[in-house]
Amino acid sequence: MKFEVHIPFVELLGFELRRFGDGEAEIAFCPRPEHENSFNVVHGGASMTLLDVVMAHAARSVEPSMGCVTIEMKTSFMRAARGPLVAQGTLLHRTATMAFTEGRIMDAAGQMCAHATGTFKFVSRLPVGKGTKELNRIRTD
């Protein structure tokens, strides 16, 4: 399954979208050595990105025409993460403009490595394709 939007950082990390719908999302991640910290386990920043993306997709799965941005995220690390990993996101509650989610990262043995909760705001998607960089520059000036 392909991600609906081009997210360069997600592509760099090599995330694979496996499920997207009905308030749930699942993303697989096979970390490479460059995703590790000095202890030779998955860097917390890579894990937090995985949780952020899977929770955002769980939120967007009920409103796919909208984008969403992270407002707040709390992460707890239970154990060192070693790949391959699977992240699962669930929409807990939504309002017209906000989504409240949770996410988990599981290792190949089925052990939870990290858990997060996140709050996301639904926003109109920016146009993509030719001229997008120029349009984005104008919007941020």
Side-chain angles (χ1 to χ4, degrees):
M1 170 176 256
K2 291 202 180 266
F3 288 96
E4 290 184 0
V5 239
H6 170 68
I7 310 168
F9 192 51
V10 167
E11 290 177 12
L12 179 70
L13 290 167
F15 292 174
E16 175 193 341
L17 184 62
R18 290 189 174 169
R19 188 171 73 236
F20 176 66
D22 299 321
E24 296 183 347
E26 184 174 285
I27 297 174
F29 177 40
C30 291
R32 299 183 302 268
E34 58 267 29
H35 301 137
E36 295 178 349
N37 63 20
S38 60
F39 295 102
N40 297 109
V41 297
V42 176
H43 190 283
S47 293
M48 290 184 74
T49 299
L50 179 58
L51 288 163
D52 181 56
V53 173
V54 80
M55 290 187 300
H57 275 73
R60 281 193 48 253
S61 72
V62 297
E63 198 68 56
S65 65
M66 299 293 285
C68 66
V69 294
T70 311
I71 300 300
E72 170 275 333
M73 181 173 164
K74 182 208 182 288
T75 306
S76 297
F77 297 97
M78 281 80 168
R79 63 179 39 85
R82 293 178 175 85
L85 302 172
V86 174
Q88 299 152 343
T90 305
L91 176 64
L92 301 174
H93 178 72
R94 70 166 290 198
T95 67
T97 59
M98 304 291 278
F100 302 88
T101 64
E102 74 172 349
R104 300 164 184 254
I105 296 176
M106 310 298 280
D107 65 16
Q111 296 183 348
M112 190 182 323
C113 301
H115 176 268
T117 56
T119 307
F120 296 84
K121 180 174 177 65
F122 291 113
V123 295
S124 297
R125 274 191 177 178
L126 292 174
V128 295
K130 188 174 182 178
T132 302
K133 286 184 181 178
E134 178 64 18
L135 181 59
N136 288 341
R137 186 191 62 74
I138 292 167
R139 287 181 184 213
T140 58
D141 286 348

